[in-house]
mmCIF file of all heavy atoms in Angstrom:
data_model
loop_
_atom_site.group_PDB
_atom_site.id
_atom_site.type_symbol
_atom_site.label_atom_id
_atom_site.label_comp_id
_atom_site.label_asym_id
_atom_site.label_seq_id
_atom_site.Cartn_x
_atom_site.Cartn_y
_atom_site.Cartn_z
ATOM 1 N N GLY A 756 186.393 188.861 118.083
ATOM 2 C CA GLY A 756 186.982 187.581 117.656
ATOM 3 C C GLY A 756 188.498 187.531 117.779
ATOM 4 O O GLY A 756 189.129 186.557 117.367
ATOM 5 N N ALA A 771 180.251 174.175 120.198
ATOM 6 C CA ALA A 771 179.090 173.642 119.470
ATOM 7 C C ALA A 771 178.425 174.751 118.664
ATOM 8 O O ALA A 771 177.922 174.527 117.570
ATOM 9 C CB ALA A 771 178.106 173.044 120.466
ATOM 10 N N TRP A 785 178.182 204.073 123.724
ATOM 11 C CA TRP A 785 178.446 204.391 125.117
ATOM 12 C C TRP A 785 177.605 205.600 125.477
ATOM 13 O O TRP A 785 177.170 206.352 124.594
ATOM 14 C CB TRP A 785 179.937 204.648 125.354
ATOM 15 C CG TRP A 785 180.498 205.840 124.645
ATOM 16 C CD1 TRP A 785 181.109 205.855 123.420
ATOM 17 C CD2 TRP A 785 180.482 207.200 125.100
ATOM 18 N NE1 TRP A 785 181.467 207.143 123.088
ATOM 19 C CE2 TRP A 785 181.099 207.988 124.104
ATOM 20 C CE3 TRP A 785 180.009 207.826 126.259
ATOM 21 C CZ2 TRP A 785 181.255 209.369 124.231
ATOM 22 C CZ3 TRP A 785 180.158 209.209 126.391
ATOM 23 C CH2 TRP A 785 180.783 209.952 125.378
ATOM 24 N N GLY A 837 185.672 188.791 128.964
ATOM 25 C CA GLY A 837 185.222 187.413 128.696
ATOM 26 C C GLY A 837 186.382 186.443 128.785
ATOM 27 O O GLY A 837 186.272 185.371 129.380
ATOM 28 N N SER A 860 171.019 188.242 131.661
ATOM 29 C CA SER A 860 170.508 186.980 131.124
ATOM 30 C C SER A 860 168.993 187.118 131.072
ATOM 31 O O SER A 860 168.447 188.146 131.502
ATOM 32 C CB SER A 860 170.893 185.812 132.039
ATOM 33 O OG SER A 860 170.148 185.887 133.237
ATOM 34 N N ALA A 895 186.041 210.096 135.157
ATOM 35 C CA ALA A 895 187.273 210.321 135.930
ATOM 36 C C ALA A 895 187.175 211.567 136.809
ATOM 37 O O ALA A 895 187.018 212.679 136.293
ATOM 38 C CB ALA A 895 188.454 210.441 134.978
ATOM 39 N N ASP A 922 191.621 210.388 142.956
ATOM 40 C CA ASP A 922 190.406 211.170 143.165
ATOM 41 C C ASP A 922 190.742 212.249 144.197
ATOM 42 O O ASP A 922 190.699 211.998 145.407
ATOM 43 C CB ASP A 922 189.271 210.264 143.670
ATOM 44 C CG ASP A 922 187.968 211.034 143.828
ATOM 45 O OD1 ASP A 922 188.020 212.281 143.930
ATOM 46 O OD2 ASP A 922 186.910 210.394 143.852
ATOM 47 N N GLY A 970 205.667 202.074 145.187
ATOM 48 C CA GLY A 970 206.156 201.050 144.255
ATOM 49 C C GLY A 970 206.388 199.722 144.957
ATOM 50 O O GLY A 970 206.012 198.655 144.454
ATOM 51 N N SER A 971 206.997 199.765 146.146
ATOM 52 C CA SER A 971 207.271 198.516 146.883
ATOM 53 C C SER A 971 205.974 197.810 147.259
ATOM 54 O O SER A 971 205.877 196.585 147.169
ATOM 55 C CB SER A 971 208.015 198.783 148.192
ATOM 56 O OG SER A 971 209.171 199.470 147.926
ATOM 57 N N ALA A 976 202.215 193.152 146.117
ATOM 58 C CA ALA A 976 200.887 192.566 145.870
ATOM 59 C C ALA A 976 200.925 191.493 144.785
ATOM 60 O O ALA A 976 199.954 190.751 144.607
ATOM 61 C CB ALA A 976 199.909 193.659 145.465
#
Side-chain angles (χ1 to χ4, degrees):
W785 64 267
S860 71
D922 183 340
S971 304

